[in-house]
Amino acid sequence: MRIGHGYDVHRIVQGRKLILCGVEIPWDGRGLLGHSDADVAAHALMDAILGAAALGDIGQLFPDSDPAYEGASSMVLLEEVCRRAGEAGYQLGNCDITILAQKPRLLPHIPEMRRTLARVMKTEVDRVSVKATTEEGLGFTGLGEGMAAHAVVLLEERARLTLL
Ligand code: MG
């Protein structure tokens, strides 16, 4: 088994959609700023998968400087990350994401986030955990300046056939 960790931060701005774990969250016109869809949770998850497989990070795979990724759906990128991990001989054991956001309230959207990630990663929903917390008004997430996300992933090496 292989473990990986990912962390990401995006700034909150007016006039952007808020997309977390592939789900558009209705808010008040604010969302996350970024080159792609700025899905901070998906970015942390992808870095955790790549970390577990020692395949680099999303900055290397999908550079900001490449116009191909402007406005890109992080779910398309996640599918590609899973394909590469699969090609390297790994399958998902489980993943656990924690989103740090003061607002909006994310709890009602957690089931759809889990279903969406499981569908994209071609795995079962019970292997996918998404949690959300505030930071009690402290720091940049508490002040509503940005959102952050942590993710940990366990990858399992596909069984290898051995000749006895
Ligand atoms: Mg990011």
Side-chain angles (χ1 to χ4, degrees):
M1 288 187 286
R2 310 265 303 206
I3 193 165
H5 170 255
Y7 175 69
D8 196 25
V9 169
H10 280 263
R11 184 183 293 275
I12 294 172
V13 292
Q14 275 293 337
R16 292 266 302 183
K17 286 178 180 172
L18 177 61
I19 297 170
L20 294 170
C21 298
V23 176
E24 189 176 333
I25 313 285
W27 200 11
D28 58 2
R30 283 181 287 173
L32 297 175
L33 183 64
H35 186 67
S36 66
D37 63 5
D39 185 335
V40 69
H43 292 183
L45 174 61
M46 286 189 271
D47 268 350
I49 296 168
L50 292 169
L55 287 173
D57 62 42
I58 53 170
Q60 294 167 21
L61 249 63
F62 314 117
D64 272 10
S65 53
D66 189 336
Y69 303 117
E70 192 168 343
S73 162
S74 293
M75 293 302 100
V76 173
L77 307 185
L78 176 60
E79 205 172 0
E80 171 63 12
V81 163
C82 289
R83 194 190 64 75
R84 290 191 185 213
E87 215 173 62
Y90 300 108
Q91 62 189 20
L92 182 76
N94 73 299
C95 64
D96 185 22
I97 300 170
T98 303
I99 303 167
L100 284 57
Q102 192 67 34
K103 281 179 183 169
R105 199 161 168 269
L106 298 178
L107 189 62
H109 305 286
I110 298 277
E112 193 184 348
M113 291 181 187
R114 293 179 63 208
R115 282 196 301 271
T116 302
L117 292 179
R119 189 175 63 239
V120 172
M121 294 194 288
K122 299 179 179 71
T123 191
E124 298 86 23
V125 175
D126 69 357
R127 292 179 187 270
V128 180
S129 165
V130 179
K131 314 190 297 299
T133 184
T134 74
E135 290 197 288
E136 303 287 340
L138 297 168
F140 70 87
T141 74
L143 294 169
E145 294 170 348
M147 291 184 191
H150 293 272
V152 287
V153 160
L154 200 71
L155 295 183
E156 294 165 350
E157 223 168 315
R158 290 216 189 85
R160 286 181 181 159
L161 292 175
T162 50
L163 294 172
L164 296 175

